[in-house]
Amino acid sequence: MNGPIRRVAVVAMLMFGLLLANGTYTVLFRQGPLDAMAQNRRVRDAEFAQNRGSILAAGKFEIATTMPSDDRFEYQRNYPAGSLYAPVTGYFSYDHASTGLENTYNTQLAGTADSLLVRRMIDLATNRTPEGASVQTTIVPKMQEAAATALGRQKGAVVALDPKTGAVLALVTSPGYDPNTLASHDVEKADRTYDELAAESDRPLANRGAREIYPPGSTFKLVTAAAALAEGKTPDSKVKSPDRLRLPGTSTYLPNSTRCGGTTITLSRALEVSCNTAFANLGLEVGEDKLREQAQLFGFDARHLSDLGGVASQFPDSLNDAQLALSSIGQFDVAASPLQMAMVSAAIANDGVLMDPYVVSSVQAPDLTPLETHKPRVLSTPMTPGNAEALQQMMGLVVSQGTGSNARISGVEVGGKTGTAQSDPKRKPFAWFTSFAPLDNPEVAVAVVVEDADIPRNDIAGGRLAAPIARSVMQAGLSR
């Protein structure tokens, strides 16, 4: 009789041992994946009910905050300015997770980051409602508002940087969306809104400032000019500028969109009037490797602004001479984000030093203790100070007496470059402008792209459409 009982007892102990081992394994190794499962609504309910910290613009201006609610979630995420800061904050939703800074700084905002462990323990011991950390951004409300107003309903984006630090001062995209509609506690309504936004052909959920790339057109001539200056050219160097240029190895001719002023002109004049054939010849003279190296020094082929999921701008590989000529004027497969072209102007303005762009300056615990602080960092040195100064003056002439005249600001010298980029023959060109001001002591660099202007195709030009937008943002930046 004792034998069967012992066997049953051994089996029972083994089963209890396996049960304990499985429970221990689950807690130690499977908790994360189980918490992340879409079917685990208890975790999502707990996250959605947290008292998240605020996201702030410069001046401690709240652009995302949390308010008590009288429903099962207890706290409601709120975006006071609606769509204005959506490209920066992103959204925090029940069924569609989060984007932007809401995603990147989720654990800090939710108060679950390791750096807030002591704070959580104190809250637990004192029975206080846990609070998340606040995220301070570099966005300047006055500039953000100016950018949004100037861009209006035109499809496109605006990015403004501080050339000396790399701080993002404004980042606007259009069309946009109101993140409040996705953060709603009416989950079914929020889901319908998301589906409608995701299905729209204008892609309002897209961050066109940092996560979309476009052919930069003639704004890329700044990169080609920098490469030419690095190879010993000066603003007064002569460049061949025929009315049209036969692309090497083809029967295709590259025309000029403007009158260049002769078959041979100076490099400075070529930039001032945006002469296609002159810059195509310059690119062929500089060579593929030097031009690619120059582009990469300005930040091409690398990702920037990871807090917002920034994508890499592209300079193509393995070019033949015809493709090189087109790439030299920002066509063929060259593609850049507005952020990237703002970085080009910022580096030129900052005497040839490119600062790493950033949008979060600090993260603070609820008691205002600093958890993270960003320090400006040099990313690269694309130009010597002397060459940068020469290109600054050339960009000044573009605005004072060239294609960028619509960016002029009374009493302030402005440097800039226009661009009108062809993409698909079936769609309208992209209108670009990239700039900085003031010329002698730059405080702000701006890039603007208008993706689909509501005017006739032949009237689209960077100087006409994008330059006035950049002017408005620079004026707001200079008066802040």
Side-chain angles (χ1 to χ4, degrees), residues 71-111:
D71 56 31
R72 67 188 178 103
F73 291 120
E74 298 183 22
Y75 292 98
Q76 172 68 62
R77 196 60 165 163
N78 182 48
Y79 303 90
S83 62
L84 181 59
Y85 296 94
V88 179
T89 62
Y91 58 78
F92 178 66
S93 73
Y94 185 81
D95 274 336
H96 300 282
S98 56
T99 59
L101 297 184
E102 291 278 27
N103 178 57
T104 307
Y105 290 87
N106 179 57
T107 58
Q108 292 91 333
L109 290 165

Side-chain angles (χ1 to χ4, degrees), residues 25 103 131 147 188 310 347 384 391 412 415 435 453-454:
Y25 176 80
N103 178 57
E131 257 185 281
E188 291 184 359
T384 65
L391 193 46
V412 178
S435 58
D454 190 22

